[in-house]
Amino acid sequence: MDDAVAVDFGEKGLVPAVAQDAQSGEVLMLAYVSPEAVERTRETGRAHYYSRSRDELWEKGATSGHTQAVEEIRVDCDADTLLYIVEQDGGACHTGHRSCFYRTLEGENVGEKVFDPDAVYDDE
Amino acid sequence: MDDAVAVDFGEKGLVPAVAQDAQSGEVLMLAYVSPEAVERTRETGRAHYYSRSRDELWEKGATSGHTQAVEEIRVDCDADTLLYIVEQDGGACHTGHRSCFYRTLEGENVGEKVFDPDAVYDDE
């Protein structure tokens, strides 16, 4: 029996995916996914996304080592947004923070810094 | 001193906003926001979004009564996604579930139903 939800990828073929830390519940990041990114995520158990700026599929952590092991994928009521529930290795944010949402709109830094981005990305 | 982060609303003038329950950490929903929606949210302390299908500003819960009191607005590293941390009254989802992410991609219902949508939306 296959009751899988048909995701509505829309005319652009992409939907947003929110990554949430399975342990702490922290919202880590939002990125976009193509059908292929979702398929690769399901096949490998590691979070894949689609970069709109680079126009390519990417695996989270392929460069930094900060991969996301995906425990579960949820889909919203309209089937046009996904929620990846993940075990985050290291930090999700390229700035070195655990979560990309490390600032308030007023500019206050409320996030936890967990690595030095210069040390992680220095080959790029 | 005003260090407010300048949100990058892009060419469409909208960014996604994730709503997260301040108590449980549950991811409740994702919707889009315009600059005006963010302004109204900050002014009133209640979550406002912008409907792409109806092309209008809306206040969450204006019909259902299931409003969201916004405790904090966070912005991500690229300043193109917001996170509303909210006190959710009732349920966030029009299906009666606490969260719009009540299903896995495989179609399993893992969400909590907290109200009867027929009773809430019967005037529409």
Side-chain angles (χ1 to χ4, degrees):
Chain A
M1 191 176 73
D2 185 7
D3 287 338
V5 180
V7 178
D8 176 8
F9 284 96
E11 56 188 34
K12 291 201 170 167
L14 298 173
V15 294
V18 177
Q20 181 180 31
D21 189 297
Q23 304 300 315
S24 66
E26 190 173 17
V27 175
L28 297 170
M29 58 181 281
L30 179 142
Y32 292 82
V33 293
S34 61
E36 191 188 356
V38 176
E39 196 180 313
R40 291 284 295 152
T41 300
R42 296 179 79 175
E43 281 170 6
T44 63
R46 295 187 309 276
H48 288 68
Y49 300 95
Y50 193 88
S51 168
R52 297 178 301 172
S53 55
R54 298 194 307 274
D55 206 14
E56 66 180 18
L57 185 73
W58 60 287
E59 180 189 339
K60 175 67 186 164
T63 301
S64 65
H66 297 167
T67 52
Q68 295 175 337
V70 178
E71 289 195 352
E72 191 168 274
I73 304 177
R74 295 195 191 158
V75 57
D76 78 344
C77 49
D78 298 326
D80 61 4
T81 303
L82 299 183
L83 176 63
Y84 283 0
I85 299 181
V86 308
E87 298 270 354
Q88 173 70 58
D89 201 328
C93 189
H94 72 287
T95 61
H97 292 87
R98 178 80 180 161
S99 162
C100 294
F101 297 95
Y102 61 89
R103 293 174 296 179
T104 67
L105 192 54
E106 288 75 30
E108 187 189 353
N109 192 322
V110 294
E112 184 192 1
K113 197 144 187 181
V114 292
F115 70 89
D116 175 2
D118 290 338
V120 168
Y121 298 106
D122 62 356
D123 290 342
E124 293 183 284
Chain B
M1 190 177 76
D2 185 9
D3 287 340
V5 180
V7 178
D8 176 9
F9 284 96
E11 57 189 31
K12 291 202 171 168
L14 298 173
V15 294
V18 177
Q20 181 180 32
D21 190 297
Q23 304 299 318
S24 66
E26 189 173 18
V27 175
L28 298 170
M29 59 180 280
L30 179 142
Y32 292 82
V33 293
S34 60
E36 191 188 356
V38 177
E39 196 180 315
R40 291 285 296 152
T41 299
R42 296 178 79 177
E43 282 170 6
T44 63
R46 295 187 308 276
H48 287 69
Y49 301 96
Y50 193 88
S51 168
R52 297 177 302 171
S53 55
R54 297 193 309 272
D55 206 14
E56 65 180 19
L57 185 73
W58 60 287
E59 180 189 341
K60 174 68 186 165
T63 301
S64 64
H66 297 168
T67 53
Q68 295 175 336
V70 178
E71 289 195 352
E72 191 168 272
I73 304 177
R74 294 193 191 158
V75 57
D76 78 345
C77 49
D78 298 326
D80 62 3
T81 304
L82 300 183
L83 176 62
Y84 282 0
I85 299 181
V86 308
E87 298 270 353
Q88 173 69 58
D89 201 329
C93 189
H94 72 286
T95 61
H97 292 87
R98 178 81 180 160
S99 163
C100 293
F101 297 95
Y102 61 89
R103 293 173 297 179
T104 67
L105 192 53
E106 289 74 30
E108 187 190 353
N109 192 323
V110 293
E112 183 193 1
K113 195 143 186 183
V114 292
F115 69 89
D116 176 1
D118 290 339
V120 168
Y121 298 106
D122 62 357
D123 290 341
E124 291 184 282

